[in-house]
Amino acid sequence: MNKYWYKNAIIYSLDVETFKDSNNDGTGDFEGLKGALTYLSSLGVTCLWLLPIFDTPNRDNGYDVRDYYKIDPRLGDMGHFAQLIDAAEEVGIRILIDLAVNHTSVEHEWFQKAREDKNSKYRNFYIWVDEKPDDPEKNMMAEEGEPAISWKYDQKAKAWYFHSFYPHQPDLNLSNPDVQKEIFRIMHFWLKMGVSGFRIDAAPHMFKEKGRMDFDGDPHEIFRRFREFVETQKPDAILLAEVDLDPNLYDKYLGNEDQMHMLFNFYVNNFLYLAFAREEATALAKAMQRMPNIDEKEQLAVFLRNHDELNLDKLSKVEQEEVFDAFAPKENMRIFGRGIRRRLASILGNDRKKMELAHSLLFTLPGTPVLRYGEELGMGEDLSMEGRSSVRTVMQWANEKNGGFSNAPTDKLIRNVISGGEYGYEKVNVSDQHRDPDSFLNWISKAIDYRKEFPEYGWGKSTIIDTGNPKVLGHYIKSEKGIGIAFHNFSNKKQVVEFDLSIDEDLEDIIDTFGNKRYEAFDPKDGKITLTPYGYRWLHKRNMYL
């Protein structure tokens, strides 16, 4: 199969436990997901990214792993997972799984052995000090009643261990070759099970020197070994990393002698929301111009929302307040002082024009688009749930009990189902939108079809077009596969901009291909692009598709 399939994939992110319940115990499972694969295939999805599926105490949505070789029994067993892999392959869908190896659960066998015996090899699997550091690093994820530092004292070990996140998630000592070997074993196992790669959780934290963790040479060599190992075992498998850093550091994880295949583009995501809040494109255009050149083997993943809070830490405090005022005016809509715990549809006021504009951007910005489950329906959040759980409600399949997610008693569901109001399953569900030709679901499916038809958005180099109008973003992406051009109006007023084809000798014979309405055909001699309020237009070079 195409070694670079990820350059033009449509990735769909979901948590198995909240997607579809097949046995009515209130928790989604592999059998339920397998039955939903035809829906995902018809939507246009080509790759699933599954949130953690490993055995876990489940104190952090599965990111606290107890055993990397066992499935969370609530989801099924290894047989069910093998059946899911086969069924997905039959409908042309690959599967990526979340690999959280920056830390484990305190219940993991390695940590338990490390606590029991100071001379055990497992003691060096984690990061320990005998005395609490004088100036311990602050930790914002500390649980209530815990000190807000990144060191926790363990009574059994009579020592302090380091944790980047929650105290029940001790960090692994990635500088230890034995730990690296264990990670290779884990990858090997799951690649043999048929996955197409891994989403690497908290990648920057894996190389940060903590306590006694001391790398011999360049710590990024670990990622190079990861990539070499993965490609040796399965040549078309990939590593997709969570790297929420400034873009001038992207090259340290993407290029630099083959490390990650893909990175999530958090930076552009931040400035996209600033542009939405201001109703002008300038902030997004500037962010796009900061992106590094991406070569054939690498890619950025673009997204609108993910399974966590909408983290705005790349914005200044003033800019964050602008976004908060526009999209999270109430304190219970915010989290960690830097994020929003709402879904996209409610952030945008359930305004169809704005939702289409946002997704048109998702499908035309340079990179590979990633959709979050329910986004295609316009699902909302439940702010009565604590923390990040507000955006992790169960999938809404139909206007029936529990939104068609499960026939279990409602109080037995793994997460809340949204009922009543603007975003309740009674109004927002797959079944009803399937039957409505004008639904948002059917619009998303159509937009995905166009995105697949014009692969240059995933392959080419992006150039910002000077529209002379801060309300309109214009950019074109050029590759040997063709030229794609997109214009987006961030304002609630009609805009007309000039488009001078002379900026590139190859921008001739372009035609309209997709937009929020059927615009009058673009006339190169006139050079004017008209956009209705929150309008968008995609244009392409004619002779590439004859």
Side-chain angles (χ1 to χ4, degrees), residues 165-181:
F165 300 101
Y166 293 109
H168 58 79
Q169 295 169 324
D171 277 29
L172 285 165
N173 179 5
L174 272 296
S175 68
N176 182 347
D178 287 339
V179 172
Q180 296 176 34
K181 288 178 184 177

Side-chain angles (χ1 to χ4, degrees), residues 294-414:
I294 302 298
D295 70 20
E296 181 182 62
K297 296 186 291 185
E298 276 81 46
Q299 182 66 302
L300 293 176
V302 290
F303 62 99
L304 296 172
R305 282 295 282 114
N306 61 13
H307 59 291
D308 289 331
E309 73 279 3
L310 170 57
N311 187 355
L312 302 172
D313 69 350
K314 298 298 173 287
L315 304 180
S316 70
K317 290 297 182 183
V318 172
E319 291 167 339
Q320 286 181 20
E321 285 303 319
E322 284 187 68
V323 179
F324 282 147
D325 289 346
F327 303 133
K330 298 179 180 178
E331 192 61 35
N332 74 335
M333 298 174 175
R334 308 177 188 182
I335 187 172
F336 301 141
R338 54 171 170 74
I340 295 176
R341 59 188 206 103
R342 306 181 73 195
R343 271 189 174 254
L344 179 74
S346 56
I347 284 175
L348 298 180
N350 206 21
D351 186 317
R352 175 68 178 266
K353 290 180 180 178
K354 293 180 181 179
M355 289 163 64
E356 286 190 15
L357 176 74
H359 285 85
S360 175
L361 282 160
L362 176 69
F363 296 130
T364 56
L365 291 176
T368 295
V370 181
L371 286 160
R372 176 72 174 146
Y373 81 95
E375 194 175 309
E376 72 276 19
L377 305 175
M379 277 178 55
E381 72 281 339
D382 183 350
L383 293 173
S384 72
M385 299 178 72
E386 291 185 3
R388 296 164 163 176
S389 295
S390 60
V391 297
R392 298 171 178 174
T393 56
V394 301
M395 181 67 173
Q396 297 169 198
W397 291 99
N399 181 13
E400 56 188 54
K401 180 182 177 181
N402 298 328
F405 164 74
S406 172
N407 282 326
T410 301
D411 63 358
K412 300 297 184 184
L413 299 186
I414 185 68

Side-chain angles (χ1 to χ4, degrees), residues 177-434:
D178 287 339
V179 172
Q180 296 176 34
K181 288 178 184 177
E182 290 292 344
I183 295 173
F184 290 147
R185 287 182 61 224
I186 294 163
M187 288 178 167
H188 186 199
F189 178 83
W190 290 100
L191 289 170
K192 291 302 181 185
M193 283 297 297
V195 303
S196 290
F198 307 95
R199 180 261 191 185
I200 306 295
D201 181 58
H205 293 276
M206 297 170 68
F207 307 107
K208 192 174 173 185
E209 294 195 354
K210 319 152 191 172
R212 293 188 300 102
M213 190 166 84
D214 185 20
F215 290 98
D216 182 15
D218 181 4
H220 285 262
E221 186 62 28
I222 298 174
F223 267 176
R224 298 185 189 103
R225 292 175 191 155
F226 283 3
R227 179 159 177 166
E228 180 182 17
F229 181 84
V230 165
E231 291 185 344
T232 299
Q233 297 300 319
K234 191 171 185 176
D236 59 352
I238 68 163
L239 299 172
L240 167 58
E242 178 191 28
V243 178
D244 192 356
L245 297 174
D246 191 90
N248 64 6
L249 297 174
Y250 283 4
D251 280 344
K252 291 195 172 193
Y253 292 84
L254 273 178
N256 198 12
E257 301 176 25
D258 285 351
Q259 294 186 62
M260 296 296 101
H261 297 82
M262 297 180 72
L263 301 184
F264 284 101
N265 196 341
F266 285 92
Y267 188 80
V268 158
N269 180 262
N270 273 222
F271 286 91
L272 176 61
Y273 282 91
L274 183 61
F276 286 153
R278 291 176 172 175
E279 295 212 340
E280 69 169 53
T282 308
L284 177 58
K286 288 181 178 178
M288 291 171 64
Q289 289 173 319
R290 292 203 60 204
M291 291 301 103
N293 290 327
I294 302 298
D295 70 20
E296 181 182 62
K297 296 186 291 185
E298 276 81 46
Q299 182 66 302
L300 293 176
V302 290
F303 62 99
L304 296 172
R305 282 295 282 114
N306 61 13
H307 59 291
D308 289 331
E309 73 279 3
L310 170 57
N311 187 355
L312 302 172
D313 69 350
K314 298 298 173 287
L315 304 180
S316 70
K317 290 297 182 183
V318 172
E319 291 167 339
Q320 286 181 20
E321 285 303 319
E322 284 187 68
V323 179
F324 282 147
D325 289 346
F327 303 133
K330 298 179 180 178
E331 192 61 35
N332 74 335
M333 298 174 175
R334 308 177 188 182
I335 187 172
F336 301 141
R338 54 171 170 74
I340 295 176
R341 59 188 206 103
R342 306 181 73 195
R343 271 189 174 254
L344 179 74
S346 56
I347 284 175
L348 298 180
N350 206 21
D351 186 317
R352 175 68 178 266
K353 290 180 180 178
K354 293 180 181 179
M355 289 163 64
E356 286 190 15
L357 176 74
H359 285 85
S360 175
L361 282 160
L362 176 69
F363 296 130
T364 56
L365 291 176
T368 295
V370 181
L371 286 160
R372 176 72 174 146
Y373 81 95
E375 194 175 309
E376 72 276 19
L377 305 175
M379 277 178 55
E381 72 281 339
D382 183 350
L383 293 173
S384 72
M385 299 178 72
E386 291 185 3
R388 296 164 163 176
S389 295
S390 60
V391 297
R392 298 171 178 174
T393 56
V394 301
M395 181 67 173
Q396 297 169 198
W397 291 99
N399 181 13
E400 56 188 54
K401 180 182 177 181
N402 298 328
F405 164 74
S406 172
N407 282 326
T410 301
D411 63 358
K412 300 297 184 184
L413 299 186
I414 185 68
R415 294 275 165 73
N416 289 7
V417 58
I418 298 177
S419 178
E422 195 172 5
Y423 304 101
Y425 68 80
E426 300 88 349
K427 287 187 176 181
V428 179
N429 64 72
V430 171
S431 180
D432 288 350
Q433 291 200 30
H434 255 323

Side-chain angles (χ1 to χ4, degrees), residues 465 467 472-474 485-489 499 529 531 535-537 539:
I465 297 169
T467 63
V472 177
L473 175 72
I485 306 160
F487 291 92
H488 292 87
N489 176 13
F499 179 28
I529 294 286
L531 294 163
Y536 52 89
R537 291 175 73 171
L539 300 93

Side-chain angles (χ1 to χ4, degrees), residues 15 17 51-68 70 72 74 98-109 126 143 165-172 199 201 388 392 415:
D15 196 343
E17 69 178 20
L51 271 64
I53 60 173
F54 306 128
D55 180 43
T56 173
N58 208 29
R59 297 175 66 185
D60 183 25
N61 207 46
Y63 285 95
D64 49 329
V65 179
R66 184 164 47 204
D67 192 326
Y68 290 100
K70 291 182 181 177
D72 180 342
R74 300 170 308 144
D98 232 311
L99 186 63
V101 288
N102 175 68
H103 49 259
T104 68
S105 165
V106 291
E107 295 185 23
H108 196 288
E109 181 185 26
Y126 297 89
E143 296 174 330
F165 300 101
Y166 293 109
H168 58 79
Q169 295 169 324
D171 277 29
L172 285 165
R199 180 261 191 185
D201 181 58
R388 296 164 163 176
R392 298 171 178 174
R415 294 275 165 73

Side-chain angles (χ1 to χ4, degrees), residues 494-527:
K494 175 182 173 181
Q495 303 291 337
V496 179
V497 298
E498 298 281 347
F499 179 28
D500 184 0
L501 292 179
S502 66
I503 60 174
D504 190 317
E505 61 183 13
D506 290 329
L507 294 180
E508 56 186 25
D509 300 326
I510 60 171
I511 59 170
D512 279 273
T513 53
F514 184 54
N516 64 298
K517 60 167 284 187
R518 190 176 184 121
Y519 289 97
E520 187 175 336
F522 174 70
D523 181 356
K525 294 179 181 178
D526 176 53

